Amino acid sequence: MRSKILPLVLGTVLLTAIGAGFWRARFVQQSAAIRKGDQSTALTAGRTSVALVPQKGDSPIDDEIRSLQNEARSKHQPPELMKRLGWAFVRKARLSYDPGYYKLAEQCALVVESQRADDPDALLLQGHILQSLHKFKEAESIARKLVSVRRDPADQGLLGDVLMEQGNLTEAVGAYQHMVNLRPDLQSYTRVANLRWLKGDLDGAIEVIQMAATAASPRDPEPGAWAYTRLGIYSLQAGQLDVAETSASFALQYAHDYPPALLLRGRVLLAQGKPTVALPFLRQAAALNPLPEYQWILADALSLTGEPGPAQAVEQKLMATGATNDPRTFALFLASRGERLTDSLQLAFDELKTRQDVFTMDALAWALRANGRLTEGLDYSRKSLAGGTQDARLFYHAGCISMECGNQTDAAEFFGKANGIKQMLFPSERSDLNKQFAALKKIETYRSDCAAVKNQGKQPDHDSSIESSRSTVGKRRIDGASLVSYRCSRLQSHGCPADYARPRSEHDGCVCLRVRHRDYSVPNDVPRCLPLRGAQHRT
């Protein structure tokens, strides 16, 4: 009997133990899920509380944000309301140039995602935020996911934007074409106009941006202000200063105190030779927008009007904040001023990791040139021009780099192109372009005179031709001064260093003394080098 009862007892005990273990495991899993759910709920609540912090300000966009926040509080943050609030924060960020509003918009998108996983509108909002914060690879991933699941023009616009920033213009063209096909409106027209300008089609860009400006609506002021500002910039490049000025006025009607429009008005006045009149607009623009571009041109205008003290104060502020606000433009500024050159190069290289567009290529070329790495600088300069972009700064930089590499023919071509649209340059750049171009012309004139005299079987006059050229021969940019380099085609055959205009060991910026000879083709002694720094030219 015992032998029959014992197995039953043992089986009962075993089943009880297994059952207890099973229910304990289920209890642990449920407890973990509850804890996880509590954490998720707490996280969502935290994000919601951040997004619903009462908004200050008295502009229409501030009123809209407050209204949406109040509605979201009363209706327990429904997804549609949070998405509308997120886009309102994006518009506020674009109007105020305060990136903190992008973070608030991001909180709204994350709240929607916690309630509706993979909501396409929330993903689009996140993509725009990432693009605005220059996280282009992450934004591209979202954009590609969106275009694969739905046909929305905004998704194509986002994809085109991030591809263009990464230098992939071929795919960007396709995305923008899809966008226009789906909905031809202001948003698609502004993108197509910018793409045409990047491809060197200024007339085509003006034609399309006019269509965008016509489609603008006061109900959404920032896009309209942006369209008119771009029209003004294209018109300024085309030399139509009156159209550019009118465009700035229309932009300011759409968005009062809009920094890009104020900057445009200041640039137009500078192009008209009215720096004193331009100053108030440039001051106001720089006060509203902390980007280096605004501070740089303000400092230039102050210097132009004889106010070195205020100009220095603006540049000091730029030095303190430029690396954070816009590393690429700050790298250009440092290289142009000849200051913190190592920082300039590092900033440009770092920027290239996320942006491979023509302007990043140019910034890196300019920083490499400032650091004496001319061969690499020339390579990146050529890449910046490969797409056909007609930009005065690109041409000016390419001319300087070509000149210092000893290619006067290319330098003359690039300086000529930059000079044709020099109103697009900042005052300090325009001044340096004039000096570089004038020096190049003197060199070409001297070489032409030498060739003409040689053909006549005579020696050039020592006091006129040789001495007049000596002030420009073999010089390079040192301590921010605008200097030039020159290379005789016969120097290399006579043993002179091919890249003598670069710092070479103990010869810091050396110049071949063959300039003292009246006939380059007949050397009368061994070529030597004379350091420029701290030395005087001598015969």
Side-chain angles (χ1 to χ4, degrees), residues 16-35:
T16 302
I18 293 173
F22 173 77
W23 288 110
R24 182 181 179 183
R26 286 291 303 273
F27 177 76
V28 171
Q29 290 175 356
Q30 289 176 354
S31 299
I34 291 171
R35 287 196 300 271

Side-chain angles (χ1 to χ4, degrees), residues 28-44:
V28 171
Q29 290 175 356
Q30 289 176 354
S31 299
I34 291 171
R35 287 196 300 271
K36 185 176 180 180
D38 289 342
Q39 291 173 356
S40 177
T41 302
L43 186 59
T44 301

Side-chain angles (χ1 to χ4, degrees), residues 433-497:
L433 170 65
N434 291 337
K435 294 176 183 176
Q436 299 277 13
F437 207 4
L440 180 61
K441 287 181 177 179
K442 288 182 180 179
I443 292 170
E444 291 176 335
T445 300
Y446 173 65
R447 294 180 69 179
S448 177
D449 290 346
C450 285
V453 171
K454 181 181 176 181
N455 290 336
Q456 296 174 4
K458 300 178 182 180
Q459 299 290 339
D461 181 72
H462 176 78
D463 294 330
S464 59
S465 300
I466 302 296
E467 292 300 330
S468 64
S469 69
R470 191 169 297 152
S471 61
T472 59
V473 174
K475 293 185 179 180
R476 59 187 291 274
R477 181 180 295 273
I478 296 176
D479 298 331
S482 176
L483 302 175
V484 230
S485 63
Y486 168 67
R487 182 171 179 233
C488 171
S489 60
R490 292 182 174 272
L491 289 184
Q492 193 169 8
S493 65
H494 292 308
C496 290

Side-chain angles (χ1 to χ4, degrees), residues 227 277 391 489 510:
V277 183
D391 181 80
S489 60
C510 62

Side-chain angles (χ1 to χ4, degrees), residues 34-202:
I34 291 171
R35 287 196 300 271
K36 185 176 180 180
D38 289 342
Q39 291 173 356
S40 177
T41 302
L43 186 59
T44 301
R47 289 167 175 162
T48 302
S49 63
V50 170
L52 297 183
V53 170
Q55 175 67 20
K56 298 180 180 179
D58 54 3
S59 65
I61 186 62
D62 295 318
D63 293 337
E64 180 183 351
I65 290 173
R66 279 192 293 270
S67 175
L68 289 170
Q69 287 177 326
N70 292 333
E71 194 174 354
R73 290 190 196 96
S74 63
K75 296 182 179 180
H76 305 289
Q77 310 91 43
E80 295 304 321
L81 265 177
M82 295 305 291
K83 283 187 285 188
R84 288 169 56 194
L85 179 59
W87 284 113
F89 280 131
V90 169
R91 292 196 297 275
K92 176 65 177 179
R94 290 174 177 169
L95 286 167
S96 65
Y97 288 85
D98 183 348
Y101 286 102
Y102 288 121
K103 292 296 184 181
L104 293 175
E106 185 179 28
Q107 300 307 306
C108 295
L110 292 174
V111 169
V112 175
E113 185 182 22
S114 69
Q115 298 172 344
R116 293 181 183 175
D118 293 330
D119 183 292
D121 292 329
L123 283 175
L124 178 63
L125 178 57
Q126 284 186 340
H128 272 284
I129 294 164
L130 290 169
Q131 182 224 347
S132 300
L133 296 176
H134 293 183
K135 297 179 180 180
F136 302 117
K137 276 294 181 185
E138 298 172 55
E140 181 187 350
S141 177
I142 290 176
R144 290 192 182 280
K145 181 177 181 178
L146 286 170
V147 299
S148 68
V149 299
R150 66 178 187 176
R151 290 170 51 83
D152 191 291
D155 301 340
Q156 297 289 348
L158 173 62
L159 180 59
D161 292 346
V162 295
L163 290 173
M164 184 181 64
E165 291 286 358
Q166 296 176 90
N168 189 349
L169 290 186
T170 302
E171 272 198 272
V173 169
Y176 289 150
Q177 187 60 58
H178 283 305
M179 184 183 188
V180 173
N181 293 343
L182 290 168
R183 185 186 300 159
D185 62 359
L186 182 149
Q187 296 291 346
S188 56
Y189 290 150
T190 53
R191 287 169 166 86
V192 172
N194 184 52
L195 195 60
R196 286 193 177 187
W197 178 79
L198 284 172
K199 289 291 188 178
D201 182 9
L202 179 60

Side-chain angles (χ1 to χ4, degrees), residues 219-236:
R219 290 194 299 269
D220 194 5
E222 194 274 336
W226 176 248
Y228 273 108
T229 300
R230 294 305 299 173
L231 174 59
I233 291 173
Y234 299 152
S235 300
L236 177 61

